[in-house]
Amino acid sequence: MRNWGGSVVHFNWRHTVYGYVQSCYTPLAQRCYSHGGKLESDEEFDARWVTYFNKADIDAWELRKGMNTLIGYDLVPEPKILEAALRACRRLDDLASAMRILEAVKDKSGPHKKIYPYLIQELRPTLDELGISTPEELGMD
Amino acid sequence: MVFGALAKREQVRDCGMLATRALSLVGKRAISTSICVRGGHGVAKVDDYALPAYFDRRENPLPDVQFVTELNAVQKSLKEKEKGSWATLSNEEKIALYHISFKQSFAEMNEGTKEWKSVIAGMFFFIGMTGLVVLWQRKFVYGPVPPTFESEWKEKEVQRMLDMRINPVEGFSAKWDYENKEWKK
């Protein structure tokens, strides 16, 4: 399956945060360079996105662009990427976007109901530190 | 580009229209693309539909603009408070902040409508109307059925078929008991 950036996106369970599911799909490549370059691994993908959100002077546009692009991929982002995104929201003084990000990843998990609680569990320290409430805590579901 | 074409049209009259509306609605980054100053003739007019719009979509969680563009005093003070620690915000304040930036939550935007009830109701209604039309037709449009449908005729017809031994093996006459002159049980 291709997104319009020209990269091939494989649905891949190992990359998602579903802690105890076996990987039943193929290789974890996220981007496939059509001219035959190196395939990117999961760790590289995660690292790239964490670096993107960790930029100290990230601006609102970059946050929005990053988030919208990330949600466009066929995967649920790892907690470390989300943590970086939430901290970026904090730097931008944007609580609403932080909550929206949580809603978006819950929606992204689709029928797999166990992913979101796992994410929240992993993000709990960050949520408490930054004072972000989940939409559930606020009754917004 | 588009703004080049727009500006050309505006050259004839000096509209003097600054895109102040645009300025207030649009984020910092978009201003550089939406204002086009052409050689002292003023600024190209930016239409509403050309500006970034707000929309709630699952695949685009963070739209380009906030939902509420002009903040009232309460909202402004809330935004100031947002710059501090978020733990000090109450739940209501957090919800209020969310609704400044966004119109519907994901839960709200994903819930279905009740449209299906109208659809089913409409279907039944039109089927009913059709039924009425059919009944009316039967009464007022169609002539009488042929005499071959009368029960007396039908009895004679069945008797004739039995006499002719229509389908005597497995079909019609096979089901008739010729000794007792009745249908087989």
Side-chain angles (χ1 to χ4, degrees):
Chain A
M1 155 179 129
R2 290 192 168 273
N3 64 24
W4 79 263
S7 63
V8 174
V9 178
H10 292 283
F11 181 78
N12 106 53
W13 281 75
R14 236 188 68 190
H15 180 70
T16 67
V17 296
Y18 209 40
Y20 48 88
V21 168
Q22 286 79 26
S23 136
C24 41
Y25 290 81
T26 43
L28 332 165
Q30 299 305 314
R31 288 190 85 84
C32 175
Y33 297 98
S34 45
H35 57 268
K38 190 169 68 79
L39 296 174
E40 188 182 58
S41 75
D42 274 358
E43 292 72 25
E44 285 165 359
F45 177 85
D46 291 345
R48 196 159 51 83
W49 276 102
V50 169
T51 314
Y52 178 90
F53 284 118
N54 273 345
K55 190 172 136 185
D57 55 349
I58 195 172
D59 68 24
W61 184 93
E62 286 173 355
L63 172 69
R64 286 198 303 271
K65 174 68 180 169
M67 225 34 244
N68 290 336
T69 310
L70 195 57
I71 292 295
Y73 294 149
D74 185 14
L75 49 84
V76 180
E78 286 275 332
K80 52 180 180 287
I81 303 179
L82 296 175
E83 185 193 333
L86 294 175
R87 289 191 188 280
C89 289
R90 174 66 266 190
R91 291 198 292 282
L92 291 163
D93 298 323
D94 194 350
L95 175 62
S97 293
M99 289 173 11
R100 192 74 158 181
I101 289 173
L102 294 176
E103 284 188 302
V105 296
K106 180 179 181 186
D107 186 65
K108 198 66 196 165
S109 333
H112 306 291
K113 300 290 179 208
K114 299 222 175 72
I115 297 183
Y116 181 68
Y118 171 78
L119 281 176
I120 294 297
Q121 175 198 317
E122 292 292 312
L123 287 171
R124 185 46 64 186
T126 311
L127 295 177
D128 291 338
E129 181 195 329
L130 300 176
I132 302 174
S133 305
T134 68
E136 291 70 39
E137 287 164 10
L138 298 175
M140 286 169 68
D141 55 350
Chain B
M1 273 210 48
V2 174
F3 289 109
L6 270 177
K8 253 199 161 78
R9 255 188 290 135
E10 301 301 324
Q11 263 170 22
V12 183
R13 49 188 171 107
D14 181 2
C15 46
M17 272 183 264
L18 302 172
T20 45
R21 234 175 2 132
L23 273 167
S24 63
L25 287 173
V26 168
K28 224 169 22 149
R29 210 173 259 257
I31 287 182
S32 56
T33 55
S34 64
I35 298 183
C36 170
V37 182
R38 309 277 296 175
H41 286 277
V43 175
K45 178 177 161 233
V46 180
D47 291 309
D48 262 336
Y49 57 80
L51 296 168
Y54 177 85
F55 52 90
D56 279 314
R57 297 298 300 263
R58 290 173 67 194
E59 61 271 13
N60 202 46
L62 301 175
D64 296 329
V65 290
Q66 283 183 330
F67 177 56
V68 177
T69 41
E70 273 132 33
L71 303 176
N72 62 32
V74 174
Q75 288 169 328
K76 283 193 181 127
S77 67
L78 202 51
K79 276 289 185 187
E80 284 302 312
K81 202 173 170 195
E82 196 184 12
K83 294 181 183 163
S85 167
W86 292 341
T88 59
L89 295 167
S90 73
N91 282 358
E92 288 74 27
E93 287 172 331
K94 288 180 181 175
I95 295 177
L97 278 169
Y98 184 90
H99 284 293
I100 291 175
S101 297
F102 304 111
K103 184 176 174 206
Q104 288 183 314
S105 71
F106 263 68
E108 285 165 358
M109 79 166 92
N110 286 340
E111 66 191 9
T113 63
K114 298 193 180 61
E115 194 190 4
W116 66 273
K117 293 181 191 171
S118 323
V119 171
I120 301 286
M123 275 170 57
F124 286 144
F125 176 73
F126 283 110
I127 291 173
M129 288 303 303
T130 312
L132 287 177
V133 170
V134 166
L135 289 177
W136 178 88
Q137 272 185 334
R138 199 168 277 193
K139 192 161 192 320
F140 291 107
V141 175
Y142 297 134
V145 291
T148 54
F149 283 89
E150 293 159 13
S151 31
E152 208 184 275
W153 188 292
K154 279 293 179 208
E155 282 170 19
K156 292 183 184 159
E157 190 180 296
V158 167
Q159 184 58 60
R160 184 165 177 270
M161 283 167 76
L162 290 171
D163 294 342
M164 284 198 287
R165 305 291 195 275
I166 298 284
N167 293 340
V169 180
E170 285 195 8
F172 192 73
S173 305
K175 298 197 173 100
W176 177 257
D177 187 351
Y178 282 95
E179 269 89 60
N180 301 331
K181 295 216 178 1
E182 61 188 0
W183 290 107
K184 289 182 184 168
K185 303 283 183 295

